[in-house]
Amino acid sequence: MLKTRFTEMFGVQYPIVQGGMQWVGRAELTSAVANAGALGFLTGLTQPTPEDLVKEVKRCRDMTDKPFGVNLTILPTLVPRPYGEYIDAIIQSGVKIVETAGNNPKPFLPKLKEAGIKVIHKCTSVRHGVSAERIGVDAISMDGFECAGHPGEDDVPNLVLLPAAANVIKIPMLASGGFADARGLVAALALGCDGMNMGTRFMATKEAPIHQKVKEAIVAGDERSTALLFRTMRNTARVYGNSVAKKAIEMEHEGKTIQEIGPLVAGARGKVVYETGDLEHGVWSAGTCMGLIQDIPTCQELVERIVREAKDLIRQRLATMAA
């Protein structure tokens, strides 16, 4: 075991988390992560309706008897999402762990807490982490600039962000963004965190419900293979650096509006990438940790390898240096 405040609070064997990923966080992956002793999350809004989420939770529960959670990203959308109904579906399903991201989760906390649910909130800055702790979340997932998806607008990498956050945040904290192996886990613990969150690394596993060509592209990519969209609009998103992403950046610098660029980078197009393996059909999220990913193991193999190598680092290399 690797015991931290996080493993004790959330009842998992290892301080490793598979966070929410749109179109990817389905029962096949989440249950495999849970069975490996880590904490997996279904992505709530991947399911088209709250009723579908209830079914997906049941499907995941049929595949594992270990703890798992549901991610709910709360953001303004062109088509409003019934967040309250998704919260009700989570409670109805008996899930006891929720990861929130995006907007402030405060309006939903009383109902979640009343149902005995522990809440992890994803943040991209120290100030947001402090605010989340103040309103009563149970743990923080702190995303550095290296992460896939939305890294915030401060551009602070984890070597600075995590210890700065650990200086002031008292509740358990996960390191997120750029983590893919045992070295990252040991570094996260050394920087003051209680575990690490991985997204892109779990995409490149056998159980991830995405096309093999996407997994192979992640392995073939390196730390320079991402692109940053919407920088000028202060809505930065890190994605795989394909031709669609480059075209979107060109349009952005030409002064095109979000309404004009939107159809090119719509989430539905990214879903097609994952389903068909057509890597140039749309934009899809990937982090700089592609530079550390060299294979496509099972989740069990991946988690066991990370834990084994982390223990070796702690007991051998670091212990020898401190002798």
Side-chain angles (χ1 to χ4, degrees):
M1 290 184 65
L2 276 176
K3 187 167 70 171
T4 69
R5 293 188 301 165
F6 182 83
T7 61
E8 292 184 324
M9 178 177 286
F10 291 91
V12 293
Q13 191 173 0
Y14 303 124
I16 299 170
V17 175
Q18 166 254 312
M21 293 178 281
Q22 183 72 333
W23 313 127
V24 183
R26 301 177 187 270
E28 292 83 358
L29 176 61
T30 301
S31 62
V33 171
N35 287 330
L39 181 60
F41 280 93
L42 298 173
T43 306
L45 296 184
T46 289
Q47 302 304 316
T49 69
E51 292 75 20
D52 288 309
L53 177 57
V54 172
K55 293 175 184 175
E56 190 72 359
V57 170
K58 183 181 183 306
R59 201 164 71 89
C60 191
R61 196 167 277 131
D62 287 342
M63 300 179 191
T64 184
D65 59 359
K66 303 288 182 65
F68 64 89
V70 173
N71 162 277
L72 192 64
T73 298
I74 306 162
L75 287 172
T77 56
L78 294 175
V79 179
R81 306 301 293 267
Y83 293 116
E85 294 178 25
Y86 276 92
I87 293 287
D88 290 341
I90 291 168
I91 294 170
Q92 175 189 336
S93 298
V95 170
K96 294 302 179 184
I97 305 171
V98 166
E99 177 190 62
T100 56
N103 289 349
N104 192 326
K106 185 176 181 178
F108 304 106
L109 285 182
K111 182 176 276 191
L112 291 170
K113 293 286 189 177
E114 186 180 340
I117 293 172
K118 289 185 171 64
V119 178
I120 305 168
H121 187 59
K122 187 177 288 290
C123 304
T124 59
S125 69
V126 176
R127 63 189 184 279
H128 292 154
V130 170
S131 296
E133 180 178 33
R134 187 182 304 122
I135 65 173
V137 304
D138 298 281
I140 301 293
S141 179
M142 187 63 71
D143 268 22
F145 186 57
E146 303 91 334
C147 75
H150 294 281
E153 303 304 318
D154 295 335
D155 296 5
V156 181
N158 273 321
L159 195 60
V160 172
L161 179 63
L162 297 176
N167 283 342
V168 293
I169 292 171
K170 306 306 180 189
I171 57 178
M173 187 168 67
L174 296 169
S176 183
F179 293 92
D181 60 17
R183 294 169 296 181
L185 176 56
V186 175
L189 299 177
L191 292 169
C193 294
D194 301 278
M196 71 174 180
N197 177 77
M198 302 191 302
T200 306
R201 172 67 270 199
F202 275 120
M203 289 173 67
T205 57
K206 294 191 185 303
E207 294 92 348
I210 57 177
H211 200 281
Q212 181 69 13
K213 287 185 178 179
V214 177
K215 301 177 187 183
E216 292 171 356
I218 291 172
V219 173
D222 63 25
E223 66 278 5
R224 302 164 299 166
S225 299
T226 68
L228 292 167
L229 307 182
F230 305 134
R231 297 288 277 161
T232 63
M233 302 175 191
R234 295 192 60 78
N235 187 29
T236 302
R238 187 182 297 280
V239 300
Y240 183 80
N242 63 8
S243 61
V244 183
K246 292 171 184 174
K247 177 61 177 176
I249 292 170
E250 285 179 15
M251 293 175 68
E252 182 181 345
H253 288 288
E254 290 168 1
K256 303 295 186 184
T257 65
I258 185 65
Q259 288 76 18
E260 293 172 297
I261 303 172
L264 183 67
V265 299
R269 294 182 62 148
K271 183 181 180 183
V272 172
V273 173
Y274 292 143
E275 291 174 344
T276 67
D278 180 356
L279 301 175
E280 304 298 320
H281 187 84
V283 297
W284 49 282
S285 292
T288 57
C289 70
M290 279 192 289
L292 304 174
I293 298 172
Q294 300 173 338
D295 62 354
I296 306 171
T298 66
C299 290
Q300 187 79 36
E301 291 166 344
L302 176 62
V303 170
E304 287 181 352
R305 180 170 70 202
I306 289 173
V307 172
R308 180 179 66 253
E309 292 180 358
K311 288 179 178 179
D312 288 345
L313 276 171
I314 294 167
R315 291 170 177 166
Q316 297 176 23
R317 187 166 190 264
L318 299 183
T320 301
M321 290 178 176

